[in-house]
Amino acid sequence: MSDDTQTGTTADDRDPEATRQLVRERYAGIASSDQGCCSDVGLDVAGDSGCCDDDSQSESERLGYDADDIASVADGADLGLGCGNPKAFAAMTPGETVLDLGSGAGFDCFLAAQEVGADGHVIGVDMTPEMISKARENVAKNDSRNVEFRLGEITHLPVADETVDVVISNCVVNLEPEKQRVFDDAYRVLKPGGRVAISDVVQTAPFPDDVAMDPDSLTGCVAGASTIGKLEKMLDRAGFEAVEIAPKDESTEFISDWEADRDLGEYLVSATIEARKPTFDD
């Protein structure tokens, strides 16, 4: 625990830039060490808690990927840092432009590239230089000429207005302290009629103080999670319609493995988050 625990600092109390720096440092370490945590971002990146006891393929399958998904992407892109599979419900089609928020080493981007084909385009945005470097190396490994990676924050996307068909993300929005700005900027870059298809964790019960105040819990995709009600309000405020947030009750099985000393499934569940930007005719 850091001094934040002693001073009673929670995720909502921290300075947003200080939170981003904590997250940036954690994922820089993951990218540099090639050590993702196979059962998601778990609370121990090095694996001391046992979160990586199973092989990465079986863990990725627990998150919703099938064996063909895993086999189709070259080694090095799947760091096990998700809580679901956006591809499973994003309904991507050939020729579309896809934007991945918090793209990491690029696993979901390379799967999306297969869906949109040579006439489509996939953009990954990540705020961690080490992750961007790793992802760019993986482009050549996967021969994905329709994929590019850009350094930037998901609250200030380096993407032009109304150029994207679908925004995907995998267990990243919870890490951002200013979530309303994430949804506002996603709305900006989407074309009219474009859609959001996000996998993320949602809070289902109040966190104990030692979780809420722990910076490791914040950067480990736990303490920054919002409730479904708060997320719905933020999406509505951004201008989205057809908002649907569906908890995946079965996800408590792998979330319960994230920490050895407590069952985080009592407070969190993975969910699919979907919404649509209205068309001009709407």
Side-chain angles (χ1 to χ4, degrees):
M1 302 287 180
S2 77
D3 290 341
D4 286 339
T5 303
Q6 303 303 321
T7 59
T9 301
T10 67
D12 291 336
D13 297 328
R14 289 189 180 90
D15 174 72
E17 187 50 45
T19 296
R20 293 185 191 103
Q21 186 58 29
L22 285 172
V23 172
R24 189 179 289 113
E25 289 172 357
R26 177 177 184 136
Y27 291 92
I30 293 173
S32 299
S33 67
D34 290 328
Q35 285 184 310
C37 187
C38 306
S39 59
D40 235 351
V41 278
L43 297 186
D44 190 331
V45 172
D48 293 340
S49 66
C51 69
C52 292
D53 286 346
D54 296 326
D55 68 84
S56 61
Q57 288 204 359
S58 65
E59 287 297 336
S60 294
E61 288 174 336
R62 290 175 78 191
L63 301 182
Y65 298 98
D66 61 33
D68 290 339
D69 289 334
I70 298 160
S72 70
V73 178
D75 290 345
D78 182 8
L79 299 181
L81 299 176
C83 58
N85 176 9
K87 173 192 166 186
F89 60 98
M92 293 173 279
T93 59
E96 288 192 314
T97 296
V98 178
L99 172 64
D100 185 9
L101 308 183
S103 48
F107 184 57
D108 287 313
C109 288
F110 297 124
L111 291 177
Q114 298 168 19
E115 297 291 293
V116 301
D119 293 332
H121 187 205
V122 180
I123 303 167
V125 172
D126 202 284
M127 70 172 181
T128 307
E130 292 85 353
M131 279 294 186
I132 290 293
S133 177
K134 189 175 185 66
R136 288 173 176 168
E137 292 173 1
N138 287 331
V139 170
K141 292 181 183 179
N142 288 277
D143 193 26
S144 296
R145 301 177 186 179
N146 58 343
V147 179
E148 64 169 308
F149 294 95
R150 302 177 184 177
L151 181 66
E153 296 179 358
I154 61 176
T155 53
H156 300 283
L157 291 163
V159 179
D161 295 358
E162 298 187 356
T163 55
V164 172
D165 294 292
V166 56
V167 171
I168 65 172
S169 187
N170 197 347
C171 215
V172 170
V173 175
N174 76 86
L175 296 169
E176 170 53 49
E178 297 181 296
K179 296 176 180 59
Q180 184 65 60
R181 294 173 65 181
V182 175
F183 295 127
D184 290 345
D185 219 35
Y187 187 92
R188 174 186 65 81
V189 303
L190 280 169
K191 300 174 184 177
R195 62 203 185 276
V196 164
I198 292 173
S199 289
D200 217 312
V201 287
V202 296
Q203 184 182 4
T204 57
F207 296 122
D209 287 347
D210 60 340
V211 172
M213 297 176 183
D214 184 2
D216 288 338
S217 199
L218 175 66
T219 61
C221 287
V222 178
S226 294
T227 64
I228 289 176
K230 287 182 179 179
L231 291 168
E232 288 174 335
K233 288 179 180 178
M234 285 186 274
L235 287 160
D236 181 70
R237 191 175 299 126
F240 287 101
E241 62 182 17
V243 175
E244 294 187 15
I245 302 178
K248 299 174 65 177
D249 293 337
E250 66 274 16
S251 66
T252 58
E253 179 181 347
F254 64 78
I255 289 174
S256 295
D257 292 340
W258 284 4
E259 187 176 337
D261 296 333
R262 70 164 53 80
D263 182 1
L264 291 173
E266 296 179 2
Y267 315 104
L268 289 175
V269 67
S270 178
T272 59
I273 302 171
E274 299 180 78
R276 185 171 70 92
K277 182 174 180 175
T279 64
F280 294 119
D281 293 337
D282 292 339

